[in-house]
Amino acid sequence: MFRVQRGPITGLVVQFVVLAGLHAAVGIGPAGWCAGLAYGIVVCALLARGLRRAGAAGLGPGDVVTLGRAVLVGAVTALVVDGFGGAAPVPLLVGLTAVALLLDAVDGQVARRTGTASALGARFDMEVDAYLILLLGAHLAPTLGGWVLAMGAMRYAFVAAGWALPWLRGTLPPRRWRKVVAAAQGVALAAASAGVLSPAAASVLLAGALVLLVESFGRDVGWLWRRRPARPRPVIGAGRRGGRAHPARPDPSTEPTPVPPGVSA
């Protein structure tokens, strides 16, 4: 199996170089630098941990493309955070976002064509998408309202709910519509960030994208609910003081009739 030996540390170095280029081009301040570097360090640490747990020797070709997307998202992070203290350079922010969204259609194809698709790569790709959606929501929240943060927060709320409800941590089957809805969120947020739409039109666009997201999450939650593990039957006498627990005796009337060998049930 072909593997590209480029690890998370390389991504962190590239992230620093990209931030330096942004500083030279538009002059990002200390807040942008700190946010971009903190993001890069966290991504590097989590990706290295994932590689160790998966026992992988390195990143596959598709993972390298995803890592490139993550570096671009780190640059967007710096611009968004730096823009909280002033106007963010919209053309550059939207341009970097557009490239990251376009590469989202490339990394999966590269992984499949090279035979290096993995659960880690799929998870890495999904988390980069989720963070970018939350980041663009944070960029638009001051002008359109805090409700746009719901588009990015739903993924993390779903993960948090899984700690309280273990059945939510089940493995979902691949579904193309899920990927389409995720791409629609990014495109809608990028269009709203470009400033070519009025606030009212941008709100309608994002509300429509949010409806699609709620429908997609609702369908996944429903699928997991229907396949949740059954609860164990209670034990008679359990919890009695000094008593011995005995399993409930089956009702003979409900016992299935034995089928002789060679006879179809």
Side-chain angles (χ1 to χ4, degrees):
M1 182 181 292
F2 177 70
R3 287 283 176 183
V4 178
Q5 298 298 326
R6 295 179 181 177
I9 295 298
T10 302
L12 183 58
V13 173
V14 174
Q15 185 72 81
F16 179 84
V17 172
V18 170
L19 291 175
L22 284 180
H23 180 72
V26 298
I28 58 173
W33 266 104
C34 290
L37 287 176
Y39 164 87
I41 292 171
V42 170
V43 170
C44 173
L46 291 178
L47 186 55
R49 179 173 178 265
L51 287 170
R52 286 195 301 270
R53 294 183 65 179
L59 298 177
D63 301 332
V64 173
V65 177
T66 307
L67 183 59
R69 292 180 56 228
V71 169
L72 294 176
V73 173
V76 176
T77 299
L79 293 175
V80 169
V81 172
D82 202 55
F84 288 148
V90 172
L92 182 57
L93 187 150
V94 174
L96 291 172
T97 299
V99 175
L101 292 174
L102 289 173
L103 289 177
D104 189 26
V106 175
D107 50 8
Q109 293 184 12
V110 171
R112 288 187 293 272
R113 291 180 179 179
T114 56
T116 56
S118 65
L120 174 63
R123 179 69 182 272
F124 186 25
D125 177 59
M126 179 175 60
E127 296 301 342
V128 171
D129 290 340
Y131 175 76
L132 179 58
I133 291 171
L134 181 63
L135 182 64
L136 294 176
H139 172 64
L140 292 169
T143 55
L144 298 181
W147 66 271
V148 299
L149 292 172
M151 301 174 70
M154 286 189 66
R155 159 66 185 164
Y156 300 101
F158 181 82
V159 172
W163 291 103
L165 302 171
W167 56 268
L168 282 175
R169 300 200 296 267
T171 302
L172 290 165
R175 189 158 56 89
R176 183 173 179 80
W177 178 245
R178 189 184 300 119
K179 191 73 174 177
V180 171
V181 170
Q185 309 305 302
V187 172
L189 286 164
S193 300
V196 296
L197 301 174
S198 66
S203 296
V204 171
L205 176 64
L206 295 181
L210 181 58
V211 168
L212 293 178
L213 188 62
V214 170
E215 183 276 336
S216 181
F217 269 99
R219 185 182 300 185
D220 286 343
V221 170
W223 190 92
L224 292 170
W225 168 261
R226 291 189 297 271
R227 289 158 179 81
R228 70 192 186 281
R231 292 183 178 180
R233 295 182 61 182
V235 178
I236 296 178
R240 289 185 185 174
R241 219 172 146 184
R244 184 178 177 183
H246 297 278
R249 294 181 180 179
D251 185 354
S253 63
T254 61
E255 286 293 292
T257 303
V259 179
V263 178
S264 300

